[in-house]
PDB file of all heavy atoms in Angstrom:
ATOM      1  N   ASP A   1      14.205  -1.931  -1.821  1.00 74.00           N
ATOM      2  CA  ASP A   1      15.633  -2.125  -1.539  1.00 74.00           C
ATOM      3  C   ASP A   1      16.014  -3.601  -1.392  1.00 74.00           C
ATOM      4  O   ASP A   1      17.001  -4.053  -1.987  1.00 74.00           O
ATOM      5  CB  ASP A   1      16.007  -1.332  -0.273  1.00 74.00           C
ATOM      6  CG  ASP A   1      17.514  -1.257  -0.055  1.00 74.00           C
ATOM      7  OD1 ASP A   1      18.161  -2.311  -0.045  1.00 74.00           O
ATOM      8  OD2 ASP A   1      18.027  -0.140   0.108  1.00 74.00           O
ATOM      9  N   PRO A   2      15.251  -4.420  -0.640  1.00 79.00           N
ATOM     10  CA  PRO A   2      15.695  -5.812  -0.429  1.00 79.00           C
ATOM     11  C   PRO A   2      15.452  -6.746  -1.608  1.00 79.00           C
ATOM     12  O   PRO A   2      15.888  -7.889  -1.566  1.00 79.00           O
ATOM     13  CB  PRO A   2      14.844  -6.261   0.780  1.00 79.00           C
ATOM     14  CG  PRO A   2      14.230  -5.023   1.344  1.00 79.00           C
ATOM     15  CD  PRO A   2      14.087  -4.091   0.200  1.00 79.00           C
ATOM     16  N   ILE A   3      14.737  -6.297  -2.655  1.00 83.00           N
ATOM     17  CA  ILE A   3      14.367  -7.228  -3.733  1.00 83.00           C
ATOM     18  C   ILE A   3      15.038  -6.885  -5.061  1.00 83.00           C
ATOM     19  O   ILE A   3      14.629  -7.364  -6.110  1.00 83.00           O
ATOM     20  CB  ILE A   3      12.835  -7.287  -3.922  1.00 83.00           C
ATOM     21  CG1 ILE A   3      12.275  -5.903  -4.289  1.00 83.00           C
ATOM     22  CG2 ILE A   3      12.158  -7.852  -2.681  1.00 83.00           C
ATOM     23  CD1 ILE A   3      10.794  -5.940  -4.651  1.00 83.00           C
ATOM     24  N   VAL A   4      16.093  -6.082  -5.019  1.00 90.00           N
ATOM     25  CA  VAL A   4      16.853  -5.768  -6.229  1.00 90.00           C
ATOM     26  C   VAL A   4      17.853  -6.892  -6.490  1.00 90.00           C
ATOM     27  O   VAL A   4      18.555  -7.345  -5.583  1.00 90.00           O
ATOM     28  CB  VAL A   4      17.594  -4.427  -6.070  1.00 90.00           C
ATOM     29  CG1 VAL A   4      18.427  -4.135  -7.316  1.00 90.00           C
ATOM     30  CG2 VAL A   4      16.611  -3.295  -5.822  1.00 90.00           C
ATOM     31  N   TYR A   5      17.913  -7.356  -7.732  1.00 92.00           N
ATOM     32  CA  TYR A   5      18.849  -8.424  -8.066  1.00 92.00           C
ATOM     33  C   TYR A   5      20.285  -7.902  -8.092  1.00 92.00           C
ATOM     34  O   TYR A   5      20.585  -6.906  -8.756  1.00 92.00           O
ATOM     35  CB  TYR A   5      18.522  -9.023  -9.431  1.00 92.00           C
ATOM     36  CG  TYR A   5      17.331  -9.944  -9.441  1.00 92.00           C
ATOM     37  CD1 TYR A   5      16.242  -9.694 -10.268  1.00 92.00           C
ATOM     38  CD2 TYR A   5      17.297 -11.078  -8.633  1.00 92.00           C
ATOM     39  CE1 TYR A   5      15.146 -10.545 -10.306  1.00 92.00           C
ATOM     40  CE2 TYR A   5      16.199 -11.934  -8.652  1.00 92.00           C
ATOM     41  CZ  TYR A   5      15.128 -11.665  -9.484  1.00 92.00           C
ATOM     42  OH  TYR A   5      14.050 -12.512  -9.502  1.00 92.00           O
ATOM     43  N   ASP A   6      21.150  -8.596  -7.372  1.00 92.00           N
ATOM     44  CA  ASP A   6      22.567  -8.243  -7.341  1.00 92.00           C
ATOM     45  C   ASP A   6      23.167  -8.276  -8.745  1.00 92.00           C
ATOM     46  O   ASP A   6      23.968  -7.412  -9.122  1.00 92.00           O
ATOM     47  CB  ASP A   6      23.304  -9.226  -6.422  1.00 92.00           C
ATOM     48  CG  ASP A   6      24.757  -8.843  -6.198  1.00 92.00           C
ATOM     49  OD1 ASP A   6      25.027  -7.654  -5.969  1.00 92.00           O
ATOM     50  OD2 ASP A   6      25.615  -9.722  -6.252  1.00 92.00           O
ATOM     51  N   GLU A   7      22.777  -9.272  -9.534  1.00 94.00           N
ATOM     52  CA  GLU A   7      23.308  -9.401 -10.888  1.00 94.00           C
ATOM     53  C   GLU A   7      22.912  -8.211 -11.758  1.00 94.00           C
ATOM     54  O   GLU A   7      23.696  -7.764 -12.614  1.00 94.00           O
ATOM     55  CB  GLU A   7      22.805 -10.697 -11.537  1.00 94.00           C
ATOM     56  CG  GLU A   7      23.206 -11.968 -10.805  1.00 94.00           C
ATOM     57  CD  GLU A   7      22.144 -12.443  -9.823  1.00 94.00           C
ATOM     58  OE1 GLU A   7      21.347 -11.607  -9.339  1.00 94.00           O
ATOM     59  OE2 GLU A   7      22.115 -13.654  -9.536  1.00 94.00           O
ATOM     60  N   ALA A   8      21.695  -7.694 -11.542  1.00 94.00           N
ATOM     61  CA  ALA A   8      21.237  -6.540 -12.320  1.00 94.00           C
ATOM     62  C   ALA A   8      22.045  -5.299 -11.969  1.00 94.00           C
ATOM     63  O   ALA A   8      22.415  -4.514 -12.858  1.00 94.00           O
ATOM     64  CB  ALA A   8      19.751  -6.296 -12.072  1.00 94.00           C
ATOM     65  N   ILE A   9      22.308  -5.109 -10.682  1.00 93.00           N
ATOM     66  CA  ILE A   9      23.100  -3.950 -10.260  1.00 93.00           C
ATOM     67  C   ILE A   9      24.508  -4.016 -10.836  1.00 93.00           C
ATOM     68  O   ILE A   9      25.071  -3.006 -11.274  1.00 93.00           O
ATOM     69  CB  ILE A   9      23.147  -3.855  -8.725  1.00 93.00           C
ATOM     70  CG1 ILE A   9      21.735  -3.658  -8.167  1.00 93.00           C
ATOM     71  CG2 ILE A   9      24.041  -2.700  -8.288  1.00 93.00           C
ATOM     72  CD1 ILE A   9      21.002  -2.464  -8.713  1.00 93.00           C
ATOM     73  N   THR A  10      25.087  -5.210 -10.858  1.00 93.00           N
ATOM     74  CA  THR A  10      26.417  -5.376 -11.449  1.00 93.00           C
ATOM     75  C   THR A  10      26.399  -4.992 -12.927  1.00 93.00           C
ATOM     76  O   THR A  10      27.309  -4.312 -13.418  1.00 93.00           O
ATOM     77  CB  THR A  10      26.905  -6.822 -11.282  1.00 93.00           C
ATOM     78  OG1 THR A  10      27.016  -7.123  -9.887  1.00 93.00           O
ATOM     79  CG2 THR A  10      28.254  -7.029 -11.950  1.00 93.00           C
ATOM     80  N   LEU A  11      25.361  -5.409 -13.642  1.00 95.00           N
ATOM     81  CA  LEU A  11      25.250  -5.059 -15.056  1.00 95.00           C
ATOM     82  C   LEU A  11      25.091  -3.552 -15.257  1.00 95.00           C
ATOM     83  O   LEU A  11      25.682  -2.968 -16.170  1.00 95.00           O
ATOM     84  CB  LEU A  11      24.059  -5.783 -15.680  1.00 95.00           C
ATOM     85  CG  LEU A  11      24.345  -7.091 -16.414  1.00 95.00           C
ATOM     86  CD1 LEU A  11      23.054  -7.681 -16.952  1.00 95.00           C
ATOM     87  CD2 LEU A  11      25.332  -6.884 -17.542  1.00 95.00           C
ATOM     88  N   ILE A  12      24.277  -2.927 -14.396  1.00 95.00           N
ATOM     89  CA  ILE A  12      24.096  -1.480 -14.474  1.00 95.00           C
ATOM     90  C   ILE A  12      25.430  -0.775 -14.282  1.00 95.00           C
ATOM     91  O   ILE A  12      25.778   0.163 -15.016  1.00 95.00           O
ATOM     92  CB  ILE A  12      23.051  -1.014 -13.445  1.00 95.00           C
ATOM     93  CG1 ILE A  12      21.646  -1.457 -13.877  1.00 95.00           C
ATOM     94  CG2 ILE A  12      23.091   0.507 -13.262  1.00 95.00           C
ATOM     95  CD1 ILE A  12      20.568  -1.227 -12.838  1.00 95.00           C
ATOM     96  N   GLU A  13      26.206  -1.236 -13.302  1.00 94.00           N
ATOM     97  CA  GLU A  13      27.525  -0.650 -13.062  1.00 94.00           C
ATOM     98  C   GLU A  13      28.433  -0.841 -14.272  1.00 94.00           C
ATOM     99  O   GLU A  13      29.166   0.075 -14.677  1.00 94.00           O
ATOM    100  CB  GLU A  13      28.158  -1.299 -11.821  1.00 94.00           C
ATOM    101  CG  GLU A  13      27.460  -0.949 -10.527  1.00 94.00           C
ATOM    102  CD  GLU A  13      27.854  -1.880  -9.389  1.00 94.00           C
ATOM    103  OE1 GLU A  13      28.625  -2.834  -9.645  1.00 94.00           O
ATOM    104  OE2 GLU A  13      27.400  -1.657  -8.262  1.00 94.00           O
ATOM    105  N   GLU A  14      28.379  -2.035 -14.845  1.00 96.00           N
ATOM    106  CA  GLU A  14      29.226  -2.332 -16.005  1.00 96.00           C
ATOM    107  C   GLU A  14      28.899  -1.396 -17.169  1.00 96.00           C
ATOM    108  O   GLU A  14      29.806  -0.852 -17.820  1.00 96.00           O
ATOM    109  CB  GLU A  14      29.032  -3.779 -16.426  1.00 96.00           C
ATOM    110  CG  GLU A  14      29.846  -4.157 -17.656  1.00 96.00           C
ATOM    111  CD  GLU A  14      29.361  -5.443 -18.296  1.00 96.00           C
ATOM    112  OE1 GLU A  14      28.537  -6.141 -17.672  1.00 96.00           O
ATOM    113  OE2 GLU A  14      29.803  -5.727 -19.412  1.00 96.00           O
ATOM    114  N   HIS A  15      27.622  -1.200 -17.425  1.00 97.00           N
ATOM    115  CA  HIS A  15      27.222  -0.334 -18.537  1.00 97.00           C
ATOM    116  C   HIS A  15      27.632   1.115 -18.277  1.00 97.00           C
ATOM    117  O   HIS A  15      28.083   1.809 -19.200  1.00 97.00           O
ATOM    118  CB  HIS A  15      25.719  -0.441 -18.776  1.00 97.00           C
ATOM    119  CG  HIS A  15      25.316  -1.709 -19.472  1.00 97.00           C
ATOM    120  ND1 HIS A  15      25.793  -2.060 -20.722  1.00 97.00           N
ATOM    121  CD2 HIS A  15      24.493  -2.724 -19.091  1.00 97.00           C
ATOM    122  CE1 HIS A  15      25.273  -3.222 -21.085  1.00 97.00           C
ATOM    123  NE2 HIS A  15      24.489  -3.640 -20.109  1.00 97.00           N
ATOM    124  N   HIS A  16      27.491   1.566 -17.056  1.00 97.00           N
ATOM    125  CA  HIS A  16      27.932   2.927 -16.736  1.00 97.00           C
ATOM    126  C   HIS A  16      29.442   3.070 -16.934  1.00 97.00           C
ATOM    127  O   HIS A  16      29.922   4.075 -17.471  1.00 97.00           O
ATOM    128  CB  HIS A  16      27.540   3.285 -15.305  1.00 97.00           C
ATOM    129  CG  HIS A  16      26.162   3.843 -15.190  1.00 97.00           C
ATOM    130  ND1 HIS A  16      25.378   3.700 -14.061  1.00 97.00           N
ATOM    131  CD2 HIS A  16      25.408   4.572 -16.061  1.00 97.00           C
ATOM    132  CE1 HIS A  16      24.217   4.303 -14.252  1.00 97.00           C
ATOM    133  NE2 HIS A  16      24.214   4.829 -15.458  1.00 97.00           N
ATOM    134  N   LEU A  17      30.201   2.067 -16.504  1.00 97.00           N
ATOM    135  CA  LEU A  17      31.652   2.120 -16.678  1.00 97.00           C
ATOM    136  C   LEU A  17      32.041   2.120 -18.152  1.00 97.00           C
ATOM    137  O   LEU A  17      33.073   2.686 -18.535  1.00 97.00           O
ATOM    138  CB  LEU A  17      32.309   0.929 -15.969  1.00 97.00           C
ATOM    139  CG  LEU A  17      32.419   1.048 -14.444  1.00 97.00           C
ATOM    140  CD1 LEU A  17      32.817  -0.286 -13.834  1.00 97.00           C
ATOM    141  CD2 LEU A  17      33.430   2.119 -14.062  1.00 97.00           C
ATOM    142  N   ALA A  18      31.203   1.512 -18.985  1.00 96.00           N
ATOM    143  CA  ALA A  18      31.452   1.497 -20.428  1.00 96.00           C
ATOM    144  C   ALA A  18      30.974   2.772 -21.101  1.00 96.00           C
ATOM    145  O   ALA A  18      31.110   2.908 -22.322  1.00 96.00           O
ATOM    146  CB  ALA A  18      30.768   0.283 -21.055  1.00 96.00           C
ATOM    147  N   GLY A  19      30.413   3.706 -20.311  1.00 96.00           N
ATOM    148  CA  GLY A  19      29.975   4.980 -20.857  1.00 96.00           C
ATOM    149  C   GLY A  19      28.574   4.978 -21.423  1.00 96.00           C
ATOM    150  O   GLY A  19      28.187   5.920 -22.134  1.00 96.00           O
ATOM    151  N   ARG A  20      27.803   3.935 -21.139  1.00 97.00           N
ATOM    152  CA  ARG A  20      26.435   3.873 -21.655  1.00 97.00           C
ATOM    153  C   ARG A  20      25.442   4.470 -20.667  1.00 97.00           C
ATOM    154  O   ARG A  20      25.598   4.322 -19.451  1.00 97.00           O
ATOM    155  CB  ARG A  20      26.026   2.418 -21.931  1.00 97.00           C
ATOM    156  CG  ARG A  20      26.899   1.715 -22.934  1.00 97.00           C
ATOM    157  CD  ARG A  20      26.400   0.307 -23.241  1.00 97.00           C
ATOM    158  NE  ARG A  20      27.424  -0.387 -24.034  1.00 97.00           N
ATOM    159  CZ  ARG A  20      28.297  -1.242 -23.540  1.00 97.00           C
ATOM    160  NH1 ARG A  20      28.254  -1.565 -22.240  1.00 97.00           N
ATOM    161  NH2 ARG A  20      29.200  -1.789 -24.304  1.00 97.00           N
ATOM    162  N   ASP A  21      24.405   5.105 -21.190  1.00 98.00           N
ATOM    163  CA  ASP A  21      23.281   5.504 -20.358  1.00 98.00           C
ATOM    164  C   ASP A  21      22.482   4.259 -19.975  1.00 98.00           C
ATOM    165  O   ASP A  21      22.381   3.310 -20.761  1.00 98.00           O
ATOM    166  CB  ASP A  21      22.364   6.477 -21.097  1.00 98.00           C
ATOM    167  CG  ASP A  21      22.888   7.896 -21.092  1.00 98.00           C
ATOM    168  OD1 ASP A  21      23.953   8.136 -20.488  1.00 98.00           O
ATOM    169  OD2 ASP A  21      22.232   8.768 -21.697  1.00 98.00           O
ATOM    170  N   VAL A  22      21.914   4.272 -18.780  1.00 97.00           N
ATOM    171  CA  VAL A  22      21.033   3.200 -18.329  1.00 97.00           C
ATOM    172  C   VAL A  22      19.608   3.740 -18.259  1.00 97.00           C
ATOM    173  O   VAL A  22      19.358   4.768 -17.623  1.00 97.00           O
ATOM    174  CB  VAL A  22      21.472   2.655 -16.957  1.00 97.00           C
ATOM    175  CG1 VAL A  22      20.419   1.718 -16.381  1.00 97.00           C
ATOM    176  CG2 VAL A  22      22.815   1.935 -17.081  1.00 97.00           C
ATOM    177  N   VAL A  23      18.700   3.048 -18.929  1.00 98.00           N
ATOM    178  CA  VAL A  23      17.310   3.487 -19.011  1.00 98.00           C
ATOM    179  C   VAL A  23      16.412   2.378 -18.466  1.00 98.00           C
ATOM    180  O   VAL A  23      16.464   1.244 -18.950  1.00 98.00           O
ATOM    181  CB  VAL A  23      16.906   3.814 -20.464  1.00 98.00           C
ATOM    182  CG1 VAL A  23      15.476   4.365 -20.515  1.00 98.00           C
ATOM    183  CG2 VAL A  23      17.888   4.810 -21.092  1.00 98.00           C
ATOM    184  N   VAL A  24      15.605   2.693 -17.461  1.00 97.00           N
ATOM    185  CA  VAL A  24      14.621   1.749 -16.942  1.00 97.00           C
ATOM    186  C   VAL A  24      13.323   1.924 -17.722  1.00 97.00           C
ATOM    187  O   VAL A  24      12.813   3.039 -17.848  1.00 97.00           O
ATOM    188  CB  VAL A  24      14.366   1.974 -15.436  1.00 97.00           C
ATOM    189  CG1 VAL A  24      13.207   1.115 -14.948  1.00 97.00           C
ATOM    190  CG2 VAL A  24      15.626   1.647 -14.641  1.00 97.00           C
ATOM    191  N   VAL A  25      12.792   0.827 -18.250  1.00 97.00           N
ATOM    192  CA  VAL A  25      11.594   0.855 -19.087  1.00 97.00           C
ATOM    193  C   VAL A  25      10.556  -0.054 -18.447  1.00 97.00           C
ATOM    194  O   VAL A  25      10.742  -1.270 -18.389  1.00 97.00           O
ATOM    195  CB  VAL A  25      11.905   0.380 -20.520  1.00 97.00           C
ATOM    196  CG1 VAL A  25      10.697   0.582 -21.419  1.00 97.00           C
ATOM    197  CG2 VAL A  25      13.122   1.109 -21.086  1.00 97.00           C
ATOM    198  N   SER A  26       9.464   0.528 -17.959  1.00 91.00           N
ATOM    199  CA  SER A  26       8.499  -0.273 -17.181  1.00 91.00           C
ATOM    200  C   SER A  26       7.073   0.148 -17.471  1.00 91.00           C
ATOM    201  O   SER A  26       6.778   1.325 -17.685  1.00 91.00           O
ATOM    202  CB  SER A  26       8.779  -0.108 -15.678  1.00 91.00           C
ATOM    203  OG  SER A  26       7.797  -0.768 -14.912  1.00 91.00           O
ATOM    204  N   SER A  27       6.168  -0.837 -17.438  1.00 86.00           N
ATOM    205  CA  SER A  27       4.751  -0.546 -17.613  1.00 86.00           C
ATOM    206  C   SER A  27       4.121  -0.030 -16.323  1.00 86.00           C
ATOM    207  O   SER A  27       2.962   0.381 -16.321  1.00 86.00           O
ATOM    208  CB  SER A  27       4.000  -1.796 -18.090  1.00 86.00           C
ATOM    209  OG  SER A  27       4.183  -2.860 -17.183  1.00 86.00           O
ATOM    210  N   SER A  28       4.856  -0.054 -15.218  1.00 84.00           N
ATOM    211  CA  SER A  28       4.355   0.536 -13.975  1.00 84.00           C
ATOM    212  C   SER A  28       4.301   2.059 -14.111  1.00 84.00           C
ATOM    213  O   SER A  28       4.921   2.641 -15.002  1.00 84.00           O
ATOM    214  CB  SER A  28       5.249   0.150 -12.797  1.00 84.00           C
ATOM    215  OG  SER A  28       5.155  -1.225 -12.512  1.00 84.00           O
ATOM    216  N   GLY A  29       3.572   2.687 -13.206  1.00 85.00           N
ATOM    217  CA  GLY A  29       3.374   4.132 -13.276  1.00 85.00           C
ATOM    218  C   GLY A  29       4.641   4.909 -12.974  1.00 85.00           C
ATOM    219  O   GLY A  29       5.506   4.454 -12.222  1.00 85.00           O
ATOM    220  N   VAL A  30       4.727   6.101 -13.552  1.00 89.00           N
ATOM    221  CA  VAL A  30       5.918   6.930 -13.399  1.00 89.00           C
ATOM    222  C   VAL A  30       6.174   7.279 -11.938  1.00 89.00           C
ATOM    223  O   VAL A  30       7.327   7.426 -11.526  1.00 89.00           O
ATOM    224  CB  VAL A  30       5.796   8.208 -14.264  1.00 89.00           C
ATOM    225  CG1 VAL A  30       4.648   9.099 -13.785  1.00 89.00           C
ATOM    226  CG2 VAL A  30       7.099   8.980 -14.291  1.00 89.00           C
ATOM    227  N   GLU A  31       5.108   7.389 -11.138  1.00 87.00           N
ATOM    228  CA  GLU A  31       5.286   7.748  -9.733  1.00 87.00           C
ATOM    229  C   GLU A  31       6.009   6.642  -8.951  1.00 87.00           C
ATOM    230  O   GLU A  31       6.616   6.916  -7.918  1.00 87.00           O
ATOM    231  CB  GLU A  31       3.928   8.029  -9.077  1.00 87.00           C
ATOM    232  CG  GLU A  31       3.265   9.300  -9.553  1.00 87.00           C
ATOM    233  CD  GLU A  31       2.560   9.132 -10.883  1.00 87.00           C
ATOM    234  OE1 GLU A  31       2.408   7.962 -11.336  1.00 87.00           O
ATOM    235  OE2 GLU A  31       2.164  10.142 -11.493  1.00 87.00           O
ATOM    236  N   VAL A  32       5.916   5.414  -9.443  1.00 86.00           N
ATOM    237  CA  VAL A  32       6.647   4.294  -8.832  1.00 86.00           C
ATOM    238  C   VAL A  32       8.014   4.119  -9.480  1.00 86.00           C
ATOM    239  O   VAL A  32       9.019   3.926  -8.796  1.00 86.00           O
ATOM    240  CB  VAL A  32       5.825   2.989  -8.954  1.00 86.00           C
ATOM    241  CG1 VAL A  32       6.663   1.778  -8.542  1.00 86.00           C
ATOM    242  CG2 VAL A  32       4.568   3.073  -8.096  1.00 86.00           C
ATOM    243  N   VAL A  33       8.060   4.197 -10.798  1.00 90.00           N
ATOM    244  CA  VAL A  33       9.294   3.890 -11.535  1.00 90.00           C
ATOM    245  C   VAL A  33      10.362   4.966 -11.336  1.00 90.00           C
ATOM    246  O   VAL A  33      11.551   4.654 -11.211  1.00 90.00           O
ATOM    247  CB  VAL A  33       8.986   3.716 -13.035  1.00 90.00           C
ATOM    248  CG1 VAL A  33      10.266   3.423 -13.821  1.00 90.00           C
ATOM    249  CG2 VAL A  33       7.982   2.594 -13.240  1.00 90.00           C
TER     250      VAL A  33
END
């Protein structure tokens, strides 16, 4: 929670408002992601 970039959250919100799906793509394990 404390290490999420504010700018990233704003972009995620912007894409959702534009009707786009947001997909997180990470090499970390699914149990974490």
Side-chain angles (χ1 to χ4, degrees):
D1 191 307
I3 60 173
V4 178
Y5 284 122
D6 187 44
E7 300 94 334
I9 298 304
T10 298
L11 264 179
I12 288 172
E13 292 164 357
E14 178 196 349
H15 284 301
H16 273 151
L17 283 168
R20 300 184 190 99
D21 280 358
V22 170
V23 184
V24 172
V25 187
S26 175
S27 57
S28 292
V30 65
E31 290 80 11
V32 170
V33 179

